[in-house]
Amino acid sequence: LRVGKQDPSWITLTQSRCSEMTRKWVKISLPFILSLLVLNGCSGGAGKETEETADGTGTAAEAEAGPLPIEIMTNFTNTIPKLDNAYYSELQKLTNTKLNITFVLDGSDYNSKLDLVLASGDIPEVLKADFTRPTLVNAIKEGAFWDLTPFLGDFSSYPNLRDNMVPGSWNYVKYDGKIMGIPRSRAQIDNTIMIRKDWLDKANIPMPATVDEFKEALKAVVKSNPAGGNGTIGYDIADAVSSPSLNAAFGVPEPTYDADGGLMYSYLTPQFTELVEWFRELYAEGLIAKEFSALTVTQQKDLFSSGRAFAFDASAYYSFVYTDNVKKTQPEGNVVSLQPLKGPGGDGAMLDIGTRGGQYISKKVPEEKVSKILDFFEKTASREITDLGYYGKEGVHYNNVNGEKVLTDLGKQEITVDSIAALTPAYSKWGKVAYAGASKAANEAKQKDMEIYGQIGRTDVFGYLYSPTWVDVWPTYEAELKSTRIKAIVGQITMDQYKQYVDKVNADPKIKNAYQEFAKDLKSRTQQ
């Protein structure tokens, strides 16, 4: 019997069964009874059953038991990978697992699928979700997921999950003081606005430093039409909320309070309304695609990487990826990251909160398997497995050339941003800046270029704040607010009409109550 780590109830159950076994075989010699107790783990201790295997990837008992099957639902942004490819084969070998992963397109597609799965109750063993997704919070309240607090205990059996996560991130997966998920660490320095510098140089336009200069650059590039064909798209974006950098430049992440001291939701603040109006001007001047709001994440990426668009928001390391892509058809292609643009709300540098949602274990998982799944995430939080997610296997996905990890063709194919989607990777400062396919010198230059983001960047507190009232009331407005915002940007309604709608939402007593709860939650977290 395998004793659950830091789980007193499981230990008690084990001890009880051991007592029954002892009574049943009381007539057998004492030495034989003692041997049974040792072999079956009846000591009540929570240590490892046997010594670790030679490769250090697990215990001999785990290896003998065979791979642990785990079903996981997570998101992806690129091509759906095959679980028998070289990367996933190595991952499953090192963690002694048999992974059954359902990949769903990132963005609205994933949230829609998530909502349907939670509503159906047919929840996979492990589910990746954003901390504050209303349907997730409701499911947690209804007991759909395991409380991991007793399993994790003081984390002494989970040193990687304790030491390799972003500081404070375990607070993000707490609900009513209980740890309900495992945070997924990621780099905080992440999003930038990518531009085609070769097009900028060709049109003899200086590098923009402000949002107004960026707008003028969009005008000049679209007018010169370097993409040819069906025309050049200026800013390749799906909505005003899709640019963290511009949100920061307009002051959207700055905590804003209403007249009653409630903390207003980011997208219902005056500064976000100002950003919506700015996007309205871009649309009116033909600087974003006419069908922008209907574009999926994949379609946006394709437009930029195929050489149709001038600017696009993405993780910093994508400047290397997109440069390689555009060079296939436009040899002079050169994609770079803008330095933070100055706007009416300050510097356009947004920092990620350092996590991307959490992994939640379904209550349908037997109690004895919960600890085994936690063991899997403990392994993925190691530097070894995290490096595997970022670079792949040496000699297969990359070669070590003069101290540099140089991706092979297979590595460029299999190692993507999605490689860590099903993991809980260890924190890496440059995880979204460095690229395995670039030289050491190029990566160091990129890191130096992005250092300013870490110095002045701001985070969006609504990435982790929780309000029970908000969970109940927000679904009433979420889709309608987005629709109203898009109508304002494309000119179907006036800005006054948009502002009136925002004022109506902000005046809802339930919304105002949620703002009070947000303010209280923020205060409680910052006092810790």
Side-chain angles (χ1 to χ4, degrees):
L1 296 174
R2 191 172 189 279
V3 180
K5 294 176 181 175
Q6 304 298 328
D7 183 7
S9 63
W10 177 239
I11 293 173
T12 301
L13 177 61
T14 304
Q15 291 173 326
S16 174
R17 289 177 179 173
C18 290
S19 298
E20 292 175 6
M21 182 190 303
T22 304
R23 287 193 298 269
K24 183 176 181 180
W25 296 97
V26 69
K27 294 183 179 180
I28 300 178
S29 66
L30 181 60
F32 186 56
I33 293 176
L34 292 177
S35 69
L36 282 176
L37 293 177
V38 172
L39 288 173
N40 287 283
C42 296
S43 64
K48 296 289 185 181
E49 297 89 334
T50 60
E51 294 182 357
E52 291 193 343
T53 52
D55 61 5
T57 58
T59 65
E62 288 172 344
E64 185 177 343
L68 175 71
I70 307 176
E71 58 177 26
I72 302 173
M73 188 178 107
T74 188
N75 57 326
F76 82 104
T77 56
N78 295 284
T79 304
I80 297 179
K82 295 182 178 180
L83 296 179
D84 60 354
N85 69 18
Y87 165 71
Y88 280 101
S89 294
E90 184 67 9
L91 172 64
Q92 292 174 100
K93 174 186 174 183
L94 292 177
T95 58
N96 194 30
T97 54
K98 179 64 176 177
L99 301 178
N100 177 15
I101 306 175
T102 299
F103 291 94
V104 183
L105 184 65
D106 199 10
S108 59
D109 287 352
Y110 186 76
N111 283 332
S112 296
K113 175 68 173 178
L114 174 71
D115 294 347
L116 286 173
V117 166
L118 292 173
S120 70
D122 186 18
I123 302 173
E125 292 182 317
V126 177
L127 187 69
K128 181 264 178 184
D130 291 336
F131 311 124
T132 58
R133 186 71 185 170
T135 49
L136 171 75
V137 177
N138 284 334
I140 288 174
K141 288 182 177 180
E142 293 170 1
F145 297 96
W146 277 101
D147 172 9
L148 302 178
T149 312
F151 295 90
L152 293 167
D154 62 359
F155 285 86
S156 59
S157 295
Y158 299 95
N160 290 330
L161 291 177
R162 178 192 63 206
D163 301 334
N164 294 346
M165 299 290 100
V166 172
S169 60
W170 284 100
N171 285 328
Y172 303 160
V173 290
K174 282 186 177 179
Y175 300 84
D176 296 328
K178 300 176 182 178
I179 298 176
M180 300 303 301
I182 308 103
R184 298 186 64 255
S185 292
R186 60 178 283 136
Q188 291 184 291
I189 301 174
D190 187 352
N191 177 271
T192 69
I193 298 176
M194 309 275 166
I195 64 165
R196 289 288 300 274
K197 189 175 185 300
D198 55 311
W199 288 357
L200 205 63
D201 294 342
K202 187 176 180 180
N204 197 28
I205 305 167
M207 187 70 73
T210 68
V211 294
D212 290 337
E213 291 175 3
F214 178 55
K215 182 179 178 181
E216 292 305 312
L218 289 171
K219 288 182 184 179
V221 169
V222 170
K223 183 177 180 181
S224 64
N225 191 24
N230 295 323
T232 301
I233 294 172
Y235 200 4
D236 180 16
I237 198 161
D239 193 359
V241 304
S242 303
S243 177
S245 294
L246 283 179
N247 272 254
F250 277 79
V252 177
E254 190 67 28
T256 304
Y257 297 84
D258 63 16
D260 300 317
L263 181 60
M264 301 176 69
Y265 183 56
S266 300
Y267 302 148
L268 292 168
T269 60
Q271 56 267 37
F272 185 74
T273 295
E274 188 177 1
L275 177 59
V276 169
E277 189 164 12
W278 190 81
F279 267 91
R280 179 187 177 94
E281 294 170 0
L282 292 191
Y283 187 86
E285 297 188 42
L287 305 182
I288 53 180
K290 288 185 178 181
E291 69 280 11
F292 75 96
S293 63
L295 295 174
T296 65
V297 174
T298 301
Q299 289 172 326
Q300 291 174 61
K301 286 188 173 186
D302 288 344
L303 283 173
F304 191 70
S305 63
S306 65
R308 284 263 344 255
F310 168 65
F312 179 59
D313 275 70
S315 296
Y317 80 92
Y318 264 111
S319 62
F320 296 114
V321 178
Y322 290 137
T323 293
D324 289 343
N325 288 344
V326 299
K327 279 182 178 296
K328 294 175 183 177
T329 55
Q330 300 167 7
E332 300 300 318
N334 182 22
V335 177
V336 301
S337 298
L338 285 177
Q339 287 289 284
L341 296 173
K342 292 189 178 296
D347 294 301
M350 182 81 89
L351 288 180
D352 194 274
I353 62 174
T355 67
R356 183 59 80 243
Q359 306 281 19
Y360 297 84
I361 301 178
S362 170
K363 203 60 181 291
K364 81 175 188 180
V365 174
E367 184 174 356
E368 60 270 21
K369 190 175 181 179
V370 176
S371 290
K372 296 178 182 180
I373 293 176
L374 286 174
D375 286 343
F376 166 69
F377 288 126
E378 166 70 9
K379 292 172 185 175
T380 71
S382 69
R383 294 297 172 186
E384 178 189 11
I385 303 298
T386 298
D387 284 349
L388 178 73
Y390 282 123
Y391 299 101
K393 183 180 180 180
E394 184 174 5
V396 177
H397 298 103
Y398 75 90
N399 292 311
N400 200 317
V401 181
N402 298 324
E404 295 184 29
K405 294 178 179 178
V406 179
L407 284 185
T408 63
D409 289 340
L410 182 63
K412 292 178 181 179
Q413 176 185 337
E414 292 188 358
I415 306 303
T416 70
V417 67
D418 298 320
S419 299
I420 61 172
L423 315 182
T424 52
Y427 171 68
S428 173
K429 179 179 180 180
W430 301 115
K432 294 296 180 179
V433 175
Y435 176 53
S439 68
K440 182 178 180 181
N443 274 323
E444 288 177 347
K446 186 70 173 178
Q447 290 168 12
K448 183 178 180 180
D449 196 40
M450 294 298 298
E451 188 71 53
I452 185 66
Y453 280 80
Q455 296 170 358
I456 66 174
R458 289 175 284 183
T459 58
D460 183 2
V461 297
F462 287 98
Y464 55 85
L465 290 184
Y466 171 66
S467 156
T469 302
W470 182 262
V471 170
D472 292 333
V473 70
W474 182 235
T476 305
Y477 291 110
E478 184 176 17
E480 188 178 24
L481 176 62
K482 180 179 179 180
S483 174
T484 305
R485 181 170 64 243
I486 297 301
K487 289 178 181 178
I489 292 173
V490 302
Q492 293 180 0
I493 62 174
T494 66
M495 281 305 300
D496 283 341
Q497 288 174 313
Y498 174 76
K499 292 174 183 177
Q500 289 169 7
Y501 176 78
V502 171
D503 289 343
K504 183 189 77 170
V505 176
N506 281 328
D508 184 325
K510 291 183 179 179
I511 292 290
K512 292 178 73 67
N513 186 53
Y515 288 172
Q516 291 293 323
E517 292 172 351
F518 280 139
K520 182 179 180 181
D521 192 31
L522 179 61
K523 185 177 181 180
S524 68
R525 293 175 190 270
T526 54
Q527 287 178 339
Q528 291 179 353

